[in-house]
Amino acid sequence: MVPPKMSRIIRVVAVAALAVSAAVGTGATASAASWPTPSGSVPVGATIKVTSGTYDGGLKRFYGTGDLGSGGQDEGQSPLFQLANGTTLKNVVLGSPAADGVHCLGTCTLLNVWWEDVGEDAATFKGTSASQTMTIDGGGARKASDKVFQHNGPGTMYIRNFQVNDFGKLYRSCGNCKTQYKRNVVVDNVTATVPGKTLVGINTNYGDTAKLTRITIVGDSSRKIVPCEKYKGVTSGEPTKIGTGPDSTNCLYTAANITYK
């Protein structure tokens, strides 16, 4: 038999645990994780190809050498990691130079992946299936003079529990790919810190959608960071910027979804 005093303690602990569980279940905003200290360093002279299952980097820092070591902005660079359809990359820190970061060839998941100094793009998402999903959960990126996530194939991308600072665009639906698709992006519980330009850029003429929830923008008192930019995408030449801001069709968010600190 449990003594009355101990019984009361057990009930209090149980109630507290339920409260925490409820908060997590309802999507209570979690504070951004601190940048990790890499557990070691791994030079990468040729693309690491993840062909099945999960590649766990053990939070080591991976950086390009040789042909992957230029650190430039060339569009044709090879990635440090290439993920086959259905694979996962987790617990990886991409150092500098990062070449073209990560290439995903279809459905893929990036868990707790960090980019210390983004090269051309942090990650490029390809594939051809409208049902494919690309998930970025946890991690962060900084020093991205252009784009963090480049969405070239179709499907839906989820970016959640992520942080970004010193960036051009967090997400861009390809503006001038030779083959264009309808693309969707869902951005949730993301913290963006200045300097930065745009959270998401989408092509409304192809039916793209961007849903933004629980966005925190830090240090942008003049509110120059654009949450959602709209473009007219093309298959050759350059896309045309045609607007910004929320609506009921493409840029799906309200002022209540953006918090400024």
Side-chain angles (χ1 to χ4, degrees):
M1 181 175 178
V2 179
K5 184 175 181 180
M6 182 62 70
S7 178
R8 286 195 298 273
I9 292 173
I10 292 173
R11 287 198 299 271
V12 169
V13 171
V15 169
L18 286 172
V20 171
S21 175
V24 172
T26 55
T29 302
S31 58
S34 59
W35 277 79
T37 299
S39 60
S41 292
V42 180
V44 181
T47 299
I48 298 171
K49 296 183 178 181
V50 183
T51 58
S52 64
T54 297
Y55 185 102
D56 188 337
L59 270 183
K60 292 183 175 67
R61 175 189 286 120
F62 294 77
Y63 64 94
T65 62
D67 291 341
L68 297 179
S70 72
Q73 291 292 311
D74 296 338
E75 289 284 351
Q77 291 185 83
S78 296
L80 295 186
F81 289 92
Q82 178 180 285
L83 308 183
N85 182 51
T87 59
T88 296
L89 178 68
K90 72 176 185 179
N91 299 328
V92 165
V93 178
L94 279 76
S96 177
D100 204 32
V102 177
H103 284 187
C104 172
L105 305 184
T107 290
C108 66
T109 302
L110 278 63
L111 295 176
N112 196 36
V113 176
W114 302 82
W115 289 263
E116 293 181 328
D117 189 340
V118 173
E120 205 286 306
D121 297 321
T124 302
F125 299 84
K126 304 180 180 183
T128 58
S129 173
S131 63
Q132 68 189 37
T133 58
M134 293 70 61
T135 302
I136 300 99
D137 194 344
R142 57 193 180 195
K143 300 181 182 178
S145 59
D146 192 6
K147 302 171 295 293
V148 178
F149 299 124
Q150 172 74 25
H151 193 174
N152 290 351
T156 301
M157 186 180 302
Y158 298 90
I159 306 169
R160 56 185 181 235
N161 309 319
F162 195 80
Q163 56 185 291
V164 61
N165 69 284
D166 193 2
F167 63 102
K169 289 183 175 67
L170 172 62
Y171 167 93
R172 180 66 171 104
S173 171
C174 184
N176 57 1
C177 284
K178 292 181 180 180
T179 302
Q180 289 285 27
Y181 304 95
K182 178 185 186 297
R183 306 179 181 98
N184 308 296
V185 61
V186 179
V187 184
D188 177 59
N189 195 27
V190 166
T191 299
T193 303
V194 297
K197 295 179 180 178
T198 304
L199 290 182
V200 300
I202 60 174
N203 306 313
T204 58
N205 58 314
Y206 297 124
D208 291 356
T209 66
K211 182 178 181 181
L212 309 181
T213 55
R214 298 194 299 166
I215 305 299
T216 301
I217 299 179
V218 180
D220 188 20
S221 58
S222 57
R223 302 196 176 187
K224 290 183 178 180
I225 293 177
V226 179
C228 189
E229 283 186 341
K230 306 168 193 179
Y231 291 85
K232 181 180 180 180
V234 295
T235 54
S236 64
E238 291 300 320
T240 304
K241 182 179 172 180
I242 57 176
T244 62
D247 57 52
S248 59
T249 305
N250 304 105
C251 291
L252 309 175
Y253 70 98
T254 68
N257 298 124
I258 315 289
T259 300
Y260 290 88
K261 291 186 176 180

